[in-house]
Amino acid sequence: MVHNIFKGLGIALITPFCEDGSVDYPTLVKLVEFQLKNGADFFCILATTGETPCLTAEEKKNIKDTVVSTVHGRVPILMGCGGNNTAAVVEELKNGDFSGIDGVLSVCPYYNKPSQEGLYQHFKAIAAATKLPVVLYNVPGRTGVNLAAATTVRLAKDCENIVAIKEASGNLEQVDEIIKNKPASFDVISGDDALTFPMISCGAVGVISVIGNALPREFSRMIRLEFKGEYEGARKIHHRFTDLFSLLFVDGNPAGVKCVLSEMGMIKNILRLPLVPTRVTTMQRISELLKELKI
């Protein structure tokens, strides 16, 4: 039986860019090493936070190869592979280069808004197209469709290599329903930094984190404390970053975390259109907050 290995602090890895807009591979290597040294348990690459829709096929391959060679087997790597054309995703899974990759993250089909049966058949076809573990990704705020708890549980029971879901619906009742009814071999992973503390307390096994790009040590400590049942210490860390959680997303993702990383001197604050950096007012508030937090 296939089991989920994506637990603890997962980093939803950003893509750093140079002043000319090209991918900054040396900085990418430095970021990965920084996160590994400070508590990262796995990486999630070429997904939302990586600005993947704005990358070329060559850049995606180079980013994948760079991360795989840098990680060098130290932690698992989850790679985004999804879309709203089932046949195209299946084709990519069958013929793409997944060397060095330990699992795929597949987002709910966006824009065409399928029914629950359509979602079920889509993910069933994806699971059948690969031997890799599959992590579902439910993020209705981006896709326009919610993967219902009953559909998630149905997929978990029917498809052996669907091992987890990244739940970013923001609906704790839905999360709890999945955890209550899922098979033992299936896990829930938080897709929302601000809800990671309550989700783990309900039974989630970790997070695919945006803030972890910049603050892996602090966020991984919160998760580890919670795993050990030390909820008071974990809660203090959670509350310490409540304001920063909000600021990270007020102007969109990854604009917020790129602003934080830029303030920390780790990257240049550059995004690819149609994404743009945070507003000046947000940038100023982030800078002030980082000083208050002594980061």
Side-chain angles (χ1 to χ4, degrees):
M1 181 175 288
V2 184
H3 291 282
N4 174 45
I5 59 173
F6 304 104
K7 300 181 180 183
L9 175 62
I11 307 296
L13 193 61
I14 67 147
T15 300
F17 297 116
C18 301
E19 293 285 358
D20 64 2
S22 61
V23 177
D24 188 346
Y25 294 103
T27 294
L28 180 62
V29 171
K30 291 178 183 177
L31 281 172
V32 170
E33 288 291 356
F34 165 73
Q35 290 149 5
L36 283 169
K37 290 175 183 176
N38 287 280
D41 295 302
F42 67 94
F43 286 93
C44 180
I45 66 171
L46 298 178
T48 308
T49 306
E51 298 175 67
T52 307
C54 299
L55 299 172
T56 67
E58 183 180 7
E59 287 171 333
K60 291 176 188 177
K61 181 184 185 306
N62 290 340
I63 288 168
K64 190 272 276 188
D65 290 344
T66 299
V67 176
V68 167
S69 63
T70 304
V71 171
H72 198 59
R74 287 178 282 180
V75 298
I77 300 173
L78 185 67
M79 187 168 83
C81 182
N84 59 353
N85 179 341
T86 308
V89 179
V90 166
E91 178 71 15
E92 183 178 355
L93 286 168
K94 288 182 175 180
N95 299 308
D97 177 14
F98 291 88
S99 56
I101 298 301
D102 301 289
V104 294
L105 177 76
S106 200
V107 69
C108 282
Y110 40 82
Y111 185 69
N112 42 15
K113 300 182 76 171
S115 66
Q116 292 301 308
E117 183 61 25
L119 291 170
Y120 173 82
Q121 295 296 341
H122 170 82
F123 285 119
K124 186 178 179 181
I126 284 172
T130 181
K131 293 181 179 179
L132 287 170
V134 175
V135 178
L136 310 175
Y137 181 15
N138 185 37
V139 57
R142 287 184 177 273
T143 63
V145 62
N146 177 56
L147 186 66
T151 308
T152 298
V153 172
R154 183 184 173 198
L155 285 162
K157 290 179 177 178
D158 292 352
C159 305
E160 186 179 80
N161 62 328
I162 293 182
V163 298
I165 183 169
K166 177 185 177 183
E167 246 295 342
S169 65
N171 184 339
L172 288 176
E173 184 177 354
Q174 175 166 291
V175 168
D176 199 44
E177 185 179 347
I178 296 169
I179 292 171
K180 176 183 176 182
N181 296 310
K182 70 178 183 65
S185 59
F186 183 85
D187 289 325
V188 173
I189 303 167
S190 172
D192 187 331
D193 285 334
L195 294 180
T196 297
F197 177 81
M199 283 182 66
I200 290 178
S201 71
C202 288
V205 300
V207 61
I208 296 175
S209 172
V210 174
I211 199 173
N213 280 279
L215 306 174
R217 179 182 297 177
E218 294 84 350
F219 213 50
S220 66
R221 176 165 170 73
M222 183 194 80
I223 293 166
R224 284 162 171 71
L225 285 172
E226 204 166 2
F227 283 165
K228 293 190 293 185
E230 298 178 21
Y231 292 102
E232 186 57 35
R235 188 181 299 109
K236 287 180 180 178
I237 297 172
H238 167 70
H239 285 151
R240 184 179 179 222
F241 294 114
T242 301
D243 291 341
L244 188 56
F245 290 148
S246 300
L247 282 171
L248 284 184
F249 297 95
V250 69
D251 290 330
N253 180 44
V257 73
K258 279 198 162 183
C259 178
V260 172
L261 286 165
S262 176
E263 288 290 317
M264 295 170 67
M266 298 184 72
I267 68 166
K268 295 178 175 63
N269 193 16
I270 298 170
L271 293 87
R272 280 190 177 170
L273 290 172
L275 301 181
V276 295
T278 59
R279 293 168 293 174
V280 173
T281 51
T282 305
M283 195 177 301
Q284 290 173 339
R285 180 60 186 129
I286 285 176
S287 181
E288 293 167 359
L289 191 54
L290 290 176
K291 289 177 183 176
E292 292 173 16
L293 295 171
K294 297 181 180 179
I295 296 171

